[in-house]
Amino acid sequence: RPEPEDPDFITDPLVGTFVLVKGGIMKLSDPYTAGANSFYMGQTEVTQAQWRAVMGNNPSYFKCDDCHVEQVSWNEVQDFLSNLNGRSGGVRYRLPTEAEWEYAARGGILSKDYRYAGGKKIDKLAWYEKNSENSTHPVKSKLPNELGLYDMSGNVFEWCQDLYLSTGTHYAVRGGCWYSHMDCCTPSYHIGYHKDAKEFFVGFRLARTP
């Protein structure tokens, strides 16, 4: 597969590589429309090794340094962000909004309007119910999307910054997971979990302001 078209990458020694998602306008799943602002998105979800480097522990059910951290609540992710931002020299890390997440999953300005994040053939792109063998898998073990982002479909759901509804205590997750049906691995699918929920199929990916 050819490399993405001249992407900009930056690397943080603690939390890995980030891809510049150039701003643009794209109609997303109702009611989201991506705006014109550019941002950086983590090339992978936060791994267990990266979580341990920041937090000093590993809460994951499926133990594997190169796998996505899971069993972390939305509130615990906020603690992770506070610790990370406290030692990042002024760089601000955060969770992506739902609109940012979907825009990046669809490939941003390089989007080819695929059904899944990066293509039409899900088995090449995602770990889901039919190929995961009921487990998470290491990052970068499937093909990336147009921007060079991995696992935007499948493996583990990803927390977003937004409430699932306009009020309440449930926050949105995106992307599907290792036990999901393929329809849940599309960029438009979302669901909500309580901010204190710790599930072995939910992790997160970082965004970074330029």
Side-chain angles (χ1 to χ4, degrees):
R1 180 187 180 124
E3 291 295 316
E5 295 180 18
D6 193 28
D8 292 332
F9 295 94
I10 55 174
T11 300
D12 183 292
L14 277 176
V15 286
T17 300
F18 289 74
V19 177
L20 178 62
V21 182
K22 296 178 181 179
I25 303 298
M26 179 187 293
K27 179 63 179 176
L28 307 176
S29 56
D30 187 59
Y32 303 103
T33 300
N37 293 334
S38 298
F39 61 97
Y40 284 96
M41 184 73 97
Q43 191 176 49
T44 72
E45 292 158 319
V46 171
T47 67
Q48 295 174 31
Q50 291 166 349
W51 178 277
R52 186 187 299 110
V54 175
M55 301 297 285
N57 58 45
N58 182 8
S60 303
Y61 178 81
F62 299 106
K63 301 296 186 185
C64 163
D65 278 354
D66 292 330
C67 294
H68 320 76
V69 70
E70 19 88 3
Q71 291 200 145
V72 291
S73 69
W74 188 91
N75 276 342
E76 288 173 328
V77 172
Q78 305 310 304
D79 293 336
F80 175 92
L81 290 168
S82 178
N83 287 357
L84 178 61
N85 286 329
R87 55 199 287 187
S88 63
V91 176
R92 180 175 176 265
Y93 292 99
R94 56 185 175 80
L95 286 175
T97 66
E98 283 204 80
E100 288 174 333
W101 190 98
E102 186 176 339
Y103 179 69
R106 292 183 181 276
I109 62 173
L110 302 180
S111 178
K112 294 181 173 63
D113 199 27
Y114 292 129
R115 175 167 174 76
Y116 304 104
K120 299 177 182 178
K121 297 181 179 180
I122 189 172
D123 285 282
K124 294 183 177 182
L125 303 162
W127 297 108
Y128 70 115
E129 64 173 355
K130 290 188 177 179
N131 65 9
S132 70
E133 297 182 346
N134 295 318
S135 177
T136 60
H137 291 265
V139 299
K140 294 187 177 182
S141 52
K142 292 289 186 180
L143 292 176
N145 76 349
E146 299 95 316
L147 292 172
L149 301 172
Y150 293 84
D151 297 301
M152 296 295 279
S153 289
N155 225 345
V156 293
F157 278 106
E158 302 179 19
W159 287 113
C160 291
Q161 185 61 32
D162 304 348
L163 285 165
Y164 179 57
L165 303 174
S166 58
T167 60
T169 55
H170 285 61
Y171 284 81
V173 299
R174 290 273 190 155
C177 72
W178 52 267
Y179 83 84
S180 292
H181 186 271
M182 63 178 66
D183 289 345
C184 300
C185 297
T186 61
S188 61
Y189 182 83
H190 73 154
I191 194 170
Y193 285 97
H194 191 275
K195 63 182 180 179
D196 293 324
K198 302 179 184 183
E199 307 289 357
F200 60 5
F201 49 83
V202 178
F204 69 105
R205 185 184 305 260
L206 294 173
R208 170 175 166 160
T209 303

